[in-house]
Amino acid sequence: MGNRLSKIATRTGDKGTTGLGDGTRVDKDALRVHAMGDVDELNSHIGLLLCEPLPPDLREELISIQHDLFDMGGELCIPGFTMITVAQVARLDMLLEKYNADLPALKDFILPAGSRAAAQAHVCRTVCRRAERMIVSLGKIDQVNDTPRQYMNRLSDLLFVLSRVLNRFGGGSDVLWQKDRVRDLPDSQSS
């Protein structure tokens, strides 16, 4: 791998194409490239989340997820290739069960807010949902295995749950959406 990455500025993409893992060249705005980019962006946002104070177990689990996302990028860049497994999806199900166990039931919608770590987990969740949508769109026009889509679906749920866990870890709680909250300034303050 070292020799393969020894030259970063290849100039092969100057005409708006990029190479997939199987050697084929595609336009940089192809759905497959968008899906790979969204997964990469999610991985970067998880890296930013890892800069925050986190429970040690959660830190290690997020690092494992980063490795999974790198695998997913590899799978997406080689049509027909498989790297994401049912076992990886099952691990997310296990983490969902683990982190949901001590959370109070939700009776209201929550806002993507609270501690910095919780807010960053929400950013990760929204990027994950976008990546999932892109994988679904790609699957309508090209071959994509089921497990990447399933993985992203579970991961976005997990990131939502983790935002709640992280608010509690930071000494706070969920920030609830208030249906009847006054949203407009009184007329005397609007000018």
Side-chain angles (χ1 to χ4, degrees), residues 100-113:
N100 248 330
D102 295 329
L103 290 174
L106 274 178
K107 297 178 183 172
D108 296 298
F109 291 107
I110 65 170
L111 296 177

Side-chain angles (χ1 to χ4, degrees), residues 20 26 31-32 76 79-80 135-145:
L20 296 180
V26 297
L31 284 180
R32 186 170 294 278
L76 290 171
I135 291 169
V136 168
S137 293
L138 174 61
K140 291 179 180 179
I141 64 161
D142 205 351
Q143 178 186 357
V144 178
N145 298 321

